[in-house]
Amino acid sequence: MSISTASSSTGRFQWLDSVKGIAVIWIVLYHFLLSYGSGSLPWPISFSSFFDLVNHCGHPSILGKFSCALETLIAAIIQRGPHAVGVFILFSGFGLAHSLVKRGGPKGSWTLWYVARFKRLFPVYWLAHLIFLVSPFILLHDRIDYRFLLSLAGDRIYPIDKMFFYLVPAWWFFGLLIQLYLVFPLLFKLMRRMGCVKYLGICIFLTIAARYVLTMVEANGYYEMGGLFFCRLWEFAAGMALGKLMAEKSDATLGLLLSWKGFFAGAIIYALGLFADQPTFLYYFSDGLMAMGLTVILINVAYHLSRTPALGSCISRAGVYSYGIYLFHQPYVMYAGEKFRPCSLAGFLALASAVTLLIVLGSICLEYSVNRTVNPVVEKILSRVLPQPLKMAGSEQGERASSQCVVK
């Protein structure tokens, strides 16, 4: 696949869908392992604990030790699933900015742009709430009370200690998305006026400053995780800058990302983020660095996977419907993860992969059905409030890229 094909496949970025597919599957498996490995696995698996697990796995043969090492390595990689959170935040900014830069601004007005965001986010989000009211084989730790209505309305922020992880912990990202969408017009105007470099520099400074202030006043840690959008602005702004560059210089930008220099730069940045993830001042830099570095790494991985058409197509399809997978997966995988605890690590990985496939397929069907049936009804209702023709404010690529999934 050529770079030009990679950058515009049937009006979509196939590599973007593939990155989202890799990231969302990674996150689903992380939630599986989180439930399965509670108390039975070191968290996280480090270099020292890795060799301890391999030595005590019960297989004396060399082949058995190799099998144990491979299983433990896979588990260690899955444990890093939360690192994909930043990738989705970054691509949220990418999708919104790219579509607007291509057309020179919102189509119609910013009001119509907000309507488009509403149509994209809320119908599937509401359906997820209703399904979890009646569905068996799920694990929910919270009661259905007044907070359910607040969550339906899109409130995942206030009161922060009661709403941030309510019902489905992964839904905290929905609250972050709402905040970022509300301020996006201002951010977009700033980026166009200041340019990518200055804009990103200011957003990085604001992110570090916000995290520092919250730490000094000993505010609830949920604000830093995403309860306050300033704390994740670095990742979102990096995505916006990348979206602008891709809109203006698509082949050159993607060519740089896919070069060996781009890959190793991404690997170094990601390694710096991992090093910064410690209880010192460096921690304020960790999420932004990891998101930027991991994004470059996954773009390269997705590009090479696409050379195997069948595998690349499947992963890309999961990325297209990553929003639905994000909304529907967690209660089921947490339930299944607990049931799989008696299994060996190898057995768990096999079962988790099979159940993940079923959840992905089911989520794709649900999101597709909503988009085909509910959205036209919502559009008709809103058209009575807004007399102008309701057309999507972003291209289909922008719509899909702007709605991402992340996890606790």
Side-chain angles (χ1 to χ4, degrees):
M1 183 175 66
S2 66
I3 290 177
S4 60
T5 303
S7 63
S8 58
S9 176
T10 63
R12 299 182 60 90
F13 288 126
Q14 185 176 351
W15 56 266
L16 171 59
D17 291 332
S18 296
V19 171
K20 290 160 57 184
I22 294 170
V24 75
I25 292 171
W26 190 1
I27 287 166
V28 173
L29 291 173
Y30 163 74
H31 277 144
F32 247 125
L33 190 66
L34 184 66
S35 184
Y36 165 81
S38 178
S40 62
L41 288 174
W43 208 275
I45 296 175
S46 61
F47 283 110
S48 59
S49 58
F50 176 86
F51 291 108
D52 288 340
L53 285 172
V54 173
N55 290 330
H56 295 87
C57 70
H59 293 285
S61 66
I62 295 177
L63 183 60
K65 292 292 185 183
F66 176 80
S67 176
C68 289
L70 181 61
E71 295 164 12
T72 306
L73 178 62
I74 294 173
I77 293 174
I78 292 174
Q79 280 187 350
R80 273 66 183 180
H83 296 175
V85 171
V87 175
F88 280 111
I89 297 174
L90 189 148
F91 277 134
S92 296
F94 175 94
L96 296 176
H98 180 270
S99 60
L100 292 186
V101 171
K102 290 286 286 186
R103 88 169 42 92
K107 192 172 185 179
S109 68
W110 283 111
T111 299
L112 294 180
W113 184 88
Y114 279 120
V115 170
R117 306 284 79 69
F118 175 88
K119 289 165 57 181
R120 174 72 184 111
L121 292 184
F122 273 93
V124 187
Y125 178 68
W126 288 335
L127 178 63
H129 280 74
L130 298 179
I131 286 177
F132 294 149
L133 277 179
V134 298
S135 178
F137 312 118
I138 61 174
L139 183 63
L140 298 175
H141 295 290
D142 296 297
R143 297 178 301 169
I144 305 299
D145 51 27
Y146 73 94
R147 293 173 295 175
F148 187 84
L149 297 178
L150 292 178
S151 182
L152 271 177
D155 176 20
R156 305 293 304 185
I157 304 300
Y158 182 81
I160 191 73
D161 58 327
K162 298 183 182 299
M163 295 304 303
F164 195 70
F165 285 152
Y166 174 68
L167 201 65
V168 179
W171 288 357
W172 69 263
F173 183 62
F174 188 88
L176 176 62
L177 272 184
I178 296 301
Q179 294 179 73
L180 291 170
Y181 284 178
L182 287 174
V183 300
F184 177 78
L186 174 61
L187 297 176
F188 183 71
K189 292 176 183 177
L190 287 175
M191 183 177 69
R192 296 186 69 179
R193 177 178 299 180
M194 303 173 63
C196 291
V197 176
K198 290 183 179 179
Y199 169 72
L200 181 57
I202 288 177
C203 289
I204 290 174
F205 171 79
L206 290 175
T207 299
I208 295 172
R211 291 186 162 205
Y212 177 76
V213 171
L214 288 174
T215 302
M216 294 301 295
V217 301
E218 298 183 354
N220 192 307
Y222 296 161
Y223 286 112
E224 188 175 345
M225 186 175 181
L228 179 64
F229 76 92
F230 277 114
C231 294
R232 307 310 294 260
L233 186 57
W234 178 342
E235 297 127 292
F236 188 74
M240 290 179 62
L242 179 60
K244 186 174 186 295
L245 291 174
M246 282 296 300
E248 296 173 346
K249 301 176 181 179
S250 176
D251 284 354
T253 302
L254 191 57
L256 178 60
L257 292 173
L258 292 174
S259 68
W260 68 268
K261 292 181 181 179
F263 176 80
F264 281 109
I268 291 172
I269 293 172
Y270 181 58
L272 290 174
L274 292 175
F275 174 76
D277 191 18
Q278 51 185 297
T280 66
F281 181 77
L282 293 175
Y283 173 73
Y284 304 132
F285 296 82
S286 61
D287 287 335
L289 291 173
M290 284 192 290
M292 293 173 64
L294 187 57
T295 295
V296 176
I297 293 172
L298 292 184
I299 287 174
N300 280 268
V301 171
Y303 176 76
H304 290 291
L305 284 178
S306 66
R307 295 183 176 183
T308 305
L311 178 60
S313 178
C314 291
I315 294 176
S316 177
R317 181 60 57 179
V320 171
Y321 293 96
S322 59
Y323 180 57
I325 297 170
Y326 146 66
L327 287 175
F328 293 114
H329 81 276
Q330 191 175 24
Y332 296 103
V333 302
M334 298 294 278
Y335 175 87
E338 285 194 353
K339 299 300 181 181
F340 295 161
R341 284 178 184 172
C343 301
S344 66
L345 183 56
F348 162 76
L349 291 174
L351 289 170
S353 298
V355 175
T356 295
L357 177 61
L358 294 176
I359 290 174
V360 167
L361 293 175
S363 300
I364 289 174
C365 292
L366 286 171
E367 184 179 353
Y368 177 81
S369 299
V370 169
N371 291 338
R372 289 293 300 270
T373 58
V374 176
N375 281 0
V377 176
V378 175
E379 182 173 337
K380 184 176 181 180
I381 294 173
L382 292 175
S383 66
R384 297 177 181 178
V385 179
L386 298 172
Q388 303 178 51
L390 290 178
K391 298 180 180 180
M392 300 306 286
S395 65
E396 181 66 15
Q397 175 63 40
E399 291 303 308
R400 294 293 186 187
S402 65
S403 300
Q404 308 297 337
C405 64
V406 291
V407 294
K408 177 179 177 182

